[in-house]
Structure formats: structure tokens, C-alpha cells
Amino acid sequence: VTGVQTCALPISAVAEVFDDLDEHALLEQALERRLRRGPLTDAASARRVHRYLLAQGFDPSQVMTAIRGRAKHIRLSNDD
């Protein structure tokens, strides 16, 4: 029984820390950091950045929104 109680403390501590994080701001920071290597110039570069951000654990729909905001001049395969 004590093992269950000691396990709950770290879980609640982690949950409390992550509740305070602004995922949108973290995504923008990660995107900005990645774009220091070079701008989004074509669909292939957008796909590479997309894969990079997904590997970082960001939500796919938020990643696409962020990339579309930075790559308005690029036709992405999912765009109409």
C-alpha cells in the first residue's frame, strides 16, 4: 500500500509542472530554433521540419498550423 502512495507523489508533481507549460510557446520556440538552419523554402523543407517537431512530441495539428503560418508561400500537400 505504501508503494502506491509514494508513486502518486511523483506523478502529481510531474503533472503540476507540465500544467504550467505553454505548449504553443514551446512549439514556436522549437520551430524558431529549427529555422535558424534555414527558412522553409519548399514542401520538402516543410516536411523535414514537420517530422522534427513531431519527434519532439508536439501535437500534429498544432505543428501543421505553425508550419502553415511560416510557409504561406509554399503549397503543402494537405492544402486545398
Side-chain angles (χ1 to χ4, degrees):
V1 175
T2 54
V4 173
Q5 291 173 341
T6 58
C7 183
L9 179 61
I11 292 171
S12 65
V14 169
E16 184 177 322
V17 168
F18 283 106
D19 281 345
D20 293 339
L21 292 179
D22 181 2
E23 188 172 347
H24 178 74
L26 292 174
L27 173 59
E28 287 296 322
Q29 289 174 358
L31 180 56
E32 191 64 38
R33 192 169 46 248
R34 179 63 181 218
L35 292 178
R36 288 183 198 152
R37 296 181 179 184
L40 298 172
T41 56
D42 56 14
S45 65
R47 283 191 302 271
R48 284 191 294 275
V49 171
H50 183 263
R51 272 194 315 271
Y52 166 78
L53 294 171
L54 291 180
Q56 298 297 310
F58 292 106
D59 179 74
S61 63
Q62 291 181 359
V63 169
M64 280 307 298
T65 300
I67 289 175
R68 283 190 179 113
R70 300 287 182 98
K72 295 178 182 173
H73 62 284
I74 299 171
R75 176 151 172 80
L76 301 174
S77 60
N78 292 355
D79 289 346
D80 294 322

